[in-house]
Amino acid sequence: MAVRGDRPSTALLVRPVLGLALGASTLPLLHAGVFPAMLPALQAQAGAIGLVTAESLLALLPFLGWAALARRGGERPPIMASGVLLALALAGFLAVLRRPLEPEDSIAIPSLLWVVAVVGAAGLVVGNHLHLIRLGGGSGGRIAVMAVAAATLFGPILGNAVAVVLQPAGGSLAIPLGPILFWAAMALALAFVTWRSPAAAAPAATTHAAPAAVAAAALGLVLLLAPIVWLNAVRLPLLVHAATVAGGPVPDLLGQASLIGYLAVAVVLLAVALHPGIGLLAAGPLAAAIVLWALAGLSIEVPVSLAWGVSSDPAYALAMLAGFAAILGRGAGPLRVGVAWTALQVAAVLGNRGGQVWWQYNQLAITDGMQWTGIALAVLGALALAGVILARRAP
């Protein structure tokens, strides 16, 4: 039985939580602040197939690559190297993107900088997640809650706060100067502090989780999370449509949805943190239930409500909690951490790409096939995750 002295102090957990939040929110920062300046040239030269291929490779490779490095030297090398890589890539964007790229402009250097930034962000996530696991010892449930909180709550709030406080400076820059400089400075600071901190032993590799169970949990997370990401990708046009039909102000509605979404995620995380044993087991079925409710009655003839627009936020957090609990268990090694975050990225690519295709070809059309496919995926994923968690608890 753990005593109070065995638990890490809150101060020790601040740095890995901040680093994980910074890494997890880097890709949204790039998509919001950098990608629009590159899009015309990317569309003209890479095409849709090229973009999908690059997106898929960047979802599959970086996390597993950093996990392989961490198996040899622990979490310190990924954190230090990725902090430097991310800072260099962001500084490169500031130097290259003085103006939005034209269709005929070369995309070689901006694309390389994008790859380096994504790889750096993945290293921050893997390294700091492993740091959390090492500090947390056997408290796998609470470490899972902290990791999910960093990715779904602290990261987005940090990104929004920085975007509001550090307004872009006037000039010819095509990307926001303040947030990019902040992210680069924080990445370098994390690398420096990690380098200066005492060396720690590499997390011991665990063998009690069968590869088949880890693979089933990863597949379950992808199945459950993909329709949730799809809902999140299509909620903006549906909320705008609802506000237009009602004659209300669109910015106010979107601001309310964002704020209530943060509060809903915070409530979910708090509830699971109070009793991880029950909360992690119930997280998958609850997420699937939200998907069923959100999709079963979805019709463009009846504009969606604010509650519908917020529903994908807590569902996403619940799916991550269930997936991390099933894949990682207690004291997970680097490989399982890499698998968990790779599964998360695969689901994000599938869901976002599905949302883009839906908007491009179907506009606001919603078919029975789309609804029941999403429900079936979510139910199968939730059952797989719950089954793995229950099997791990069996004596």
Side-chain angles (χ1 to χ4, degrees):
M1 180 176 178
V3 295
R4 185 176 299 274
D6 294 333
R7 296 181 180 178
S9 68
T10 304
L12 290 176
L13 296 173
V14 169
R15 177 158 57 93
V17 169
L18 176 61
L20 205 160
L22 193 79
S25 55
T26 294
L27 199 55
L29 172 76
L30 293 176
H31 275 290
V34 177
F35 191 67
M38 300 170 55
L39 186 57
L42 288 173
Q43 287 180 329
Q45 300 178 43
I49 296 178
L51 289 176
V52 172
T53 302
E55 191 177 22
S56 302
L57 291 175
L58 288 176
L60 288 172
L61 299 180
F63 293 97
L64 294 176
W66 287 116
L69 178 62
R71 291 188 72 180
R72 295 178 176 272
E75 75 269 12
R76 285 166 55 85
I79 296 174
M80 291 187 293
S82 60
V84 174
L85 287 175
L86 181 57
L88 290 175
L90 294 177
F93 280 130
L94 291 176
V96 171
L97 297 179
R98 308 297 299 180
R99 58 174 179 80
L101 296 180
E102 300 294 337
E104 64 275 6
D105 290 336
S106 172
I107 61 172
I109 294 179
S111 298
L112 178 61
L113 291 173
W114 185 278
V115 171
V116 173
V118 172
V119 170
L124 285 181
V125 169
V126 170
N128 284 286
H129 196 153
L130 287 171
H131 194 182
L132 274 178
I133 291 173
R134 182 173 60 79
L135 291 176
S139 57
R142 286 181 170 79
I143 294 303
V145 172
M146 280 190 282
V148 174
T152 62
L153 190 63
F154 301 147
I157 290 177
L158 177 68
N160 288 338
V162 169
V164 171
V165 174
L166 300 177
Q167 294 291 337
S172 59
L173 279 176
I175 57 178
L177 175 63
I180 296 295
L181 284 179
F182 176 86
W183 244 251
M186 289 299 297
L188 273 182
L190 285 169
F192 178 76
V193 172
T194 302
W195 173 63
R196 294 284 294 174
S197 63
T206 53
T207 58
H208 64 272
V214 175
L219 178 60
L221 178 58
V222 171
L223 293 177
L224 175 57
L225 202 55
I228 295 173
V229 175
W230 181 83
L231 284 170
N232 196 55
V234 304
R235 70 174 176 174
L236 178 60
L238 291 177
L239 281 173
V240 170
H241 171 73
T244 303
V245 171
V250 173
D252 290 349
L253 179 63
L254 299 182
Q256 292 172 15
S258 177
L259 176 60
I260 297 174
Y262 289 149
L263 293 176
V265 171
V267 169
V268 164
L269 293 170
L270 178 61
V272 176
L274 291 175
H275 205 308
I278 296 176
L280 293 173
L281 180 61
L286 284 175
I290 294 175
V291 173
L292 193 153
W293 171 78
L295 283 177
L298 185 59
S299 172
I300 195 61
E301 297 176 0
V302 180
V304 297
S305 64
L306 183 60
W308 184 93
V310 171
S311 64
S312 60
D313 292 323
Y316 189 95
L318 287 167
M320 276 189 68
L321 287 166
F324 280 12
I327 296 172
L328 302 178
R330 291 174 176 267
L335 181 58
R336 280 193 282 155
V337 170
V339 168
W341 285 96
T342 299
L344 198 72
Q345 298 306 308
V346 171
V349 170
L350 292 176
N352 284 320
R353 183 56 56 181
Q356 292 172 15
V357 171
W358 170 80
W359 177 248
Q360 183 177 357
Y361 294 105
N362 297 319
Q363 294 298 314
L364 296 178
I366 299 167
T367 65
D368 291 341
M370 293 162 54
Q371 292 172 303
W372 291 107
T373 298
I375 291 171
L377 291 177
V379 170
L380 288 174
L383 290 175
L385 295 176
V388 172
I389 295 174
L390 282 174
R392 183 175 287 125
R393 293 181 176 183

